[in-house]
Amino acid sequence: MNSFFITGTDTDVGKTYVTAGLSVTLRKMGVDVGVMKPFAAGTAQKKGFKSEDVEILSKSAQVNDPEKLVNPQFFPMPASPYTAWKTLKIKPNINSVLTNFKKLSKLHSILLVEGMGGIMTPILKDYFIANLIKEMKIPAIIVARTKVGTVNHTIMTVDMCKKYKIPIKGIIINDFDSDGYNTKELTRDLKNLTGVPILGVIPFIGDLSDSSMYEIFKKNLNMKLILK
């Protein structure tokens, strides 16, 4: 069983859509793919899943796994689990997340776990997203954007993965910023500066249908390297 933790260089870098695109692509390649979002936060939706992100992921993988299994904990405010804990008095339940991760891992051939924010987003005072990835014992896929500042953020993310001894499968560049770096130059620089493989560059996606996502991800990502 292969699992990957999709983390980002920051919040709002497109982790959910990259994870969804990977889910669609793997599913259309005939892979039994499952999804998980250990912690989600924000305004709860009135219908369906509390978290819009969790709904997007579940639909992309076309799974019928219970919401509580896919998303063990939802915080009704846009904040880190630590901040939500201190503000709402709802303590993050690490054991529940790890138990559900093991259950989902047995249900699917590949499990894609989407993080929250960046790799050092706090869950407890001395427990971060990095700690969670390390406990899951799975490699990380780092999602970076093209905006100025991403080189710094990506290098720091890679360095923290190394500090926590988290294997890195590679970096996916999400090219949705209209004023970002030239992607060829950014690919060159990130590869040279981090030594981490660049799995591909995803262009801005206007059509989020299954067929469109599959075509774009299959064309622009090195799926062989991801599945190696």
Side-chain angles (χ1 to χ4, degrees):
M1 195 284 300
N2 296 305
S3 291
F4 301 107
F5 197 105
I6 317 299
T7 189
T9 54
D10 199 354
T11 191
D12 293 330
V13 297
K15 292 188 303 297
T16 300
Y17 287 99
V18 167
T19 307
L22 282 170
S23 300
V24 170
T25 304
L26 289 167
R27 173 168 54 80
K28 285 186 171 289
M29 289 173 65
V31 178
D32 177 9
V33 59
V35 292
M36 184 182 190
K37 176 105 175 168
F39 301 104
T43 303
Q45 297 190 119
K46 294 181 179 179
K47 293 182 180 180
F49 294 91
K50 292 179 182 177
S51 166
E52 181 182 8
D53 288 354
V54 176
E55 183 172 350
I56 290 170
L57 295 180
S58 293
K59 285 184 176 179
S60 68
Q62 291 189 0
V63 293
N64 294 312
D65 300 323
E67 179 179 6
K68 197 66 178 175
L69 195 59
V70 177
N71 174 220
Q73 207 157 18
F74 176 83
F75 302 102
M77 67 176 293
S80 70
Y82 177 81
T83 298
W85 171 29
K86 293 300 178 180
T87 305
L88 303 173
K89 309 304 177 186
I90 304 172
K91 188 174 182 179
N93 192 332
I94 307 296
N95 288 335
S96 175
V97 167
L98 294 174
T99 297
N100 285 15
F101 168 70
K102 290 178 181 178
K103 289 179 181 178
L104 281 169
S105 297
K106 293 176 181 178
L107 294 176
H108 303 282
S109 299
I110 289 182
L111 186 62
L112 301 179
V113 184
E114 188 205 339
M116 175 189 267
I119 198 166
M120 293 308 290
T121 295
I123 299 173
L124 302 174
K125 184 178 179 180
D126 298 310
Y127 191 99
F128 305 88
I129 290 293
N131 295 93
L132 183 63
I133 303 174
K134 188 173 182 180
E135 285 209 70
M136 288 179 170
K137 299 177 181 178
I138 58 177
I141 291 176
I142 299 171
V143 179
R145 63 195 306 171
T146 59
K147 205 170 183 65
V148 171
T150 197
V151 173
N152 174 57
H153 294 154
T154 306
I155 290 172
M156 289 195 295
T157 301
V158 169
D159 283 351
M160 292 311 297
C161 282
K162 291 177 179 177
K163 178 182 177 180
Y164 282 84
K165 295 180 171 56
I166 298 168
I168 305 172
K169 192 67 179 181
I171 297 168
I172 294 175
I173 298 172
N174 190 20
D175 185 21
F176 66 95
D177 293 304
S178 58
D179 57 347
Y181 282 112
N182 175 286
T183 56
K184 288 186 179 179
E185 294 173 1
L186 182 60
T187 297
R188 176 200 65 201
D189 292 350
L190 289 181
K191 184 177 180 180
N192 290 339
L193 290 166
T194 66
V196 174
I198 307 301
L199 300 173
V201 178
I202 300 299
F204 175 78
I205 303 173
D207 179 3
L208 297 176
S209 66
D210 272 17
S211 57
S212 172
M213 295 275 273
Y214 174 65
E215 182 179 340
I216 290 171
F217 274 70
K218 196 75 164 53
K219 177 182 177 182
N220 292 283
L221 285 190
N222 187 339
M223 295 304 297
K224 288 184 179 180
L225 182 57
I226 292 173
L227 295 172
K228 185 177 178 181

